[in-house]
Amino acid sequence: MKDQNVKSFTLTAMFLAIMIILAVTPLGFIPIGPINATTMHIPVIIASIILGPRIGAGLGTVFGVISLARATVVITPMSFVFSPFIANPLTNHGDWRAVIVAIVPRILIGVIPYFVYKGLHLFMKEKARPVSLFIAGLAGSMTNTILVMNLIFFFFKDSYADVLQVTANAVYGVILGIIFGSGLVEAIVAGIATMGVCSVLLRLMKK
């Protein structure tokens, strides 16, 4: 039990260190048009599967706070949807709902992959573990993209349209383009990384 706790603490610290490194380098947030593609969700997904949903949710919260802080410090046209300290272009003041956009989906990144993996692993057994891990990674990444983009639409549709210079009716089409464009690429990368890293870590944890 003591050895298990040491392993969990060590891995948690490692994942946290990786997230900090990603946050302070261009690898964590990659600008693509009005949005940033991210790799910071990958350590959270892996931690969720290896260490469980509580630690995964904790690291997801850290990811959300980092995202909020970065949106406040590194100001872009879309910063207002992630930081309540940046003025909405239509209202000229910050909006507390940006905290929900920045943090809630990131918490769920640390929860959903665990249950997806456990469910698939129970159903498909040991031989299909790589498939279960890939799908869990895919699900964790798409959880982030789908929730973030839909919360932006729900809370900030008119402001988002103003930034993109499109009509409000066209906003959801843009959002779907992001989800099935860069979001799908992010998800595939996350699935591959999750499959590779978790296969090794699960064997080490078992030993």
Side-chain angles (χ1 to χ4, degrees), residues 178-196:
I178 292 170
I179 291 172
F180 291 105
S182 60
L184 194 56
V185 173
E186 277 184 13
I188 292 170
V189 170
I192 294 170
T194 301
M195 180 175 62

Side-chain angles (χ1 to χ4, degrees), residues 6 15 17 21 24 52 57 70 97 105 113 116 128 141 144 149 152 166 176 179 186 198-199:
V6 171
F15 289 129
I21 291 169
V24 299
R70 188 178 187 278
R97 294 175 297 181
V116 170
S141 183
N144 179 51
M149 296 312 300
I152 289 172
V166 299
L176 287 176
I179 291 172
E186 277 184 13
C198 284
S199 295

Side-chain angles (χ1 to χ4, degrees), residues 78 80-81 88-91 95 97 101 148-175:
M78 294 304 302
F80 71 94
V81 303
N88 184 313
L90 293 186
T91 63
D95 193 320
R97 294 175 297 181
V101 178
V148 167
M149 296 312 300
N150 278 280
L151 285 171
I152 289 172
F153 177 78
F154 184 71
F155 292 141
F156 302 110
K157 180 177 73 171
D158 292 334
S159 302
Y160 193 62
D162 182 69
V163 170
L164 296 179
Q165 295 296 296
V166 299
T167 64
N169 291 334
V171 168
Y172 205 72
V174 174
I175 285 173

